């Protein structure tokens, strides 16, 4: 296992330059939540020349729809959503200054190119670890689109949120790298 890198948000250029596909990270600081419906609304707002409901510059968006909060907890289980559902909107968000996103699964070529061009990173959170992940969330605040329920935009303060760098600013993709390693082992 490689060394864990402890990083803080908002992300800086220096931080993202030091992250490489496959690195294990622990994220501390503010992150925002948004899924499909929220991304669609933000994308449409930008198309109309309107401001986003929060400043994305340097920030990280977590693709999550948390389950209901139980008494005494900050948030319910908060596991990652399949990131590909946001691929249509992600290059635009990166162009607006977003430096990171957290989800699970593959990203399309347009997202990889936007990460390279604008120096953004994609973090992978482990699906099935929602209860563990939610323990790193210290506070939650509604930001926008409350009518979307679990898909609303929220502000989380996280401490040591566990993730893996999925795509780095050079366009290296941990999924493709690991599949290639596995294929090589099979061909020996």
């Amino acid at each position: 296992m490689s060394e864990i890198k402890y990083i803080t948000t908002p992300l800086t250029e220096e931080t993202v330059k030091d992250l490489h596909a496959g690195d294990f990270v622990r994220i501390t600081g503010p992150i925002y939540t948004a899924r499909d419906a929220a991304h669609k609304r933000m994308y449409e707002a930008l198309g109309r020349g309107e401001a986003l409901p929060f400043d994305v510059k340097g920030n990280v968006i977590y693709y999550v729809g948390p389950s209901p909060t139980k008494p005494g907890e900050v948030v319910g289980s908060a596991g990652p959503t399949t990131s590909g559902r946001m691929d249509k909107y992600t290059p635009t968000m990166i162009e607006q200054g977003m430096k990171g996103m957290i989800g699970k699964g593959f990203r399309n070529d347009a997202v990889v190119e936007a990460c390279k061009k604008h120096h953004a990173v994609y973090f992978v959170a482990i699906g099935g670890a929602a209860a563990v992940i939610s323990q790193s969330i210290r506070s939650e605040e509604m930001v926008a689109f409350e009518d979307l329920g679990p898909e609303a935009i929220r502000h989380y303060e996280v401490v040591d949120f566990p993730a893996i760098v999925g795509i780095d600013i050079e366009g290296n993709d941990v999924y493709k790298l690991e599949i290639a390693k596995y294929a090589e082992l099979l061909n020996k």
Side-chain angles (χ1 to χ4, degrees), residues 22 27 58 144 159 161 167:
I27 304 166
V159 175
F161 184 107
I167 298 171

Side-chain angles (χ1 to χ4, degrees), residues 19 21 40 75 92 107 122 154 159 178 182 188:
L19 298 175
K40 183 175 190 275
V75 66
T92 299
R107 304 309 298 269
Y122 169 52
R154 291 175 170 79
V159 175
E178 294 303 316
Y182 183 72
K188 285 187 175 186

Side-chain angles (χ1 to χ4, degrees), residues 26-46:
R26 296 294 179 269
I27 304 166
T28 296
I31 64 173
Y32 292 85
T33 70
R35 282 182 34 170
D36 323 30
H39 272 80
K40 183 175 190 275
R41 286 189 186 177
M42 289 189 291
Y43 182 81
E44 290 171 348
L46 287 170

Side-chain angles (χ1 to χ4, degrees), residues 32 45 50-51 53 72 77 79 90 107 109 117 137 146 161 173 180:
Y32 292 85
E50 298 171 9
S77 290
T90 300
R107 304 309 298 269
D109 291 341
K117 182 177 181 181
I137 301 167
E146 191 169 1
F161 184 107
D173 183 329

